[in-house]
Structures are given as structure tokens and as C-alpha cells.
Amino acid sequence: MTQTQSEIEPLRSRPRLPKGYGVPEVEEGMVAWSWAVEQLETARNYWFSTTRPDGRPHAMPAWAVWVDGALYFDGSPETRRARNLAVNPAITVHLESGDQVVILEGEGVLAGRPDAAFAARLAAAFEAKYGASHDYHPSPSTWDNGGLWVLRPRVAFGWTEFPKALTRWRFGAPPQVASGAQPSA
């Protein structure tokens, strides 16, 4: 039986920072990936950072759901975020807290049209998170004509106490197409 992307534990290590930051050289104190996944699944707002075509940075909070080891977000192709990603797919996503930190880095790419079963799971995840509080009720057909994006992280950082718990996770190469999605044209 092969493991899915969501079942594979990323490689955990300490990031390299200048000596004066006091990052421990031992594994003791690092946070578990399962803790980061819990934060990703329960977060309400995610800060998306992209780069404008002229090189200037752009940051904006938005909604997202963590499903099958990836962050899914949606929106109009006319948003600044979508226009930036169309030119340069590099993206960093940070959760709201500066104390209980999870940061993802990778590429934000169009996910394509998800198959019916996966679209139903995505719609249910968005509904559970944003339906009651923000009246967002996507149907499984919401992304039939596009507008669904995915970030499969290449690297992530997290901590519960800086610098003692500072942790870096490295992932394998992300697949070209989102889980359950068909390639977009």
C-alpha cells in the first residue's frame, strides 16, 4: 500500500539562523508535524504573501482549508493574489498567530477541476469552517470552471516558543495536480 501525501511525515530539522538567535542544536523541544497540521486545519484566516509582477510584495488574509496534506484556497482570477500567482507562483502562507506559528512556503497553482468526490470534501470543509460565521456555502460544483488554488508546501516552519521550539519541515517534490483534480488547460 502506498502512502498519500497527507500520510507522509515531512523531514524535521532546525533551520539555520545566526548564532545570536539561540536556536538549540538538538532535536529536543521541536514541535511535531501533527501539531502544525492541527493549526492548519483549525485556523480561520491565513496570510498569503505573493510578489507583484514589478517585484513589490503583496500580503492579504484569506480563507483556506487544509485537506490531504495541502492548503486549498479559492477566489476570482481578478484578485491581486491570483494575478500575482499567474506570473510568479511563489507563495508564503502564515497563520495569524506570532506565538503559535506555522508558515508554509511553496507554489500556489491552479488546482484544476476536482473530481466530484473530492469537490464534495472541499465544499464540506469550507462549509464547516466558514458557513455559520461568514455565510459561505460552496457547492461541489463551485470550482467546475476554475478558481480553486492549491499550495503543497516545500518547506514549513513552526514554533510554540521561539527559539526553543523552532522547527523546519521539508517535504518531497509536490505533484503537478491536486488530489482528485484534473489538470487545468
Side-chain angles (χ1 to χ4, degrees):
M1 182 168 115
T2 61
Q3 291 181 309
T4 65
Q5 178 79 13
S6 62
E7 296 170 329
I8 298 171
E9 187 81 15
L11 180 62
R12 186 175 76 161
S13 63
R14 297 280 190 182
R16 285 188 250 170
L17 270 69
K19 280 188 178 192
Y21 281 79
V23 177
E25 294 182 16
V26 297
E27 287 190 19
E28 182 180 349
M30 290 194 298
V31 292
W33 177 242
S34 59
W35 172 84
V37 168
E38 181 181 342
Q39 305 308 302
L40 290 162
E41 289 174 342
T42 60
R44 174 147 322 271
N45 297 305
Y46 304 75
W47 280 91
F48 289 79
S49 297
T50 58
T51 305
R52 296 171 192 262
D54 65 5
R56 292 181 298 137
H58 175 262
M60 186 69 65
W63 299 340
V65 293
W66 182 260
V67 177
D68 290 349
L71 190 69
Y72 289 88
F73 51 100
D74 58 6
S76 167
E78 296 174 17
T79 64
R80 169 51 53 201
R81 179 186 64 221
R83 289 182 292 151
N84 290 347
L85 291 172
V87 175
N88 178 355
I91 190 170
T92 298
V93 176
H94 190 303
L95 303 185
E96 287 184 296
S97 177
D99 297 314
Q100 304 291 308
V101 174
V102 178
I103 303 166
L104 305 176
E105 294 181 358
E107 290 188 349
V109 296
L110 283 169
R113 180 181 181 178
D115 66 35
F118 191 67
R121 289 179 58 217
L122 284 173
F126 276 106
E127 169 83 26
K129 192 179 272 193
Y130 305 107
S133 62
H134 291 84
D135 199 29
Y136 184 55
H137 310 280
S139 72
S141 64
T142 296
W143 307 286
D144 282 357
N145 296 313
L148 180 65
W149 297 78
V150 62
L151 163 60
R152 293 191 179 277
R154 280 200 288 259
V155 65
F157 299 92
W159 63 83
T160 55
E161 181 182 348
F162 187 89
K164 180 182 175 186
L166 182 57
T167 306
R168 171 182 55 202
W169 298 278
R170 293 181 188 220
F171 300 80
Q176 295 295 332
V177 177
S179 175
Q182 301 167 2
S184 57

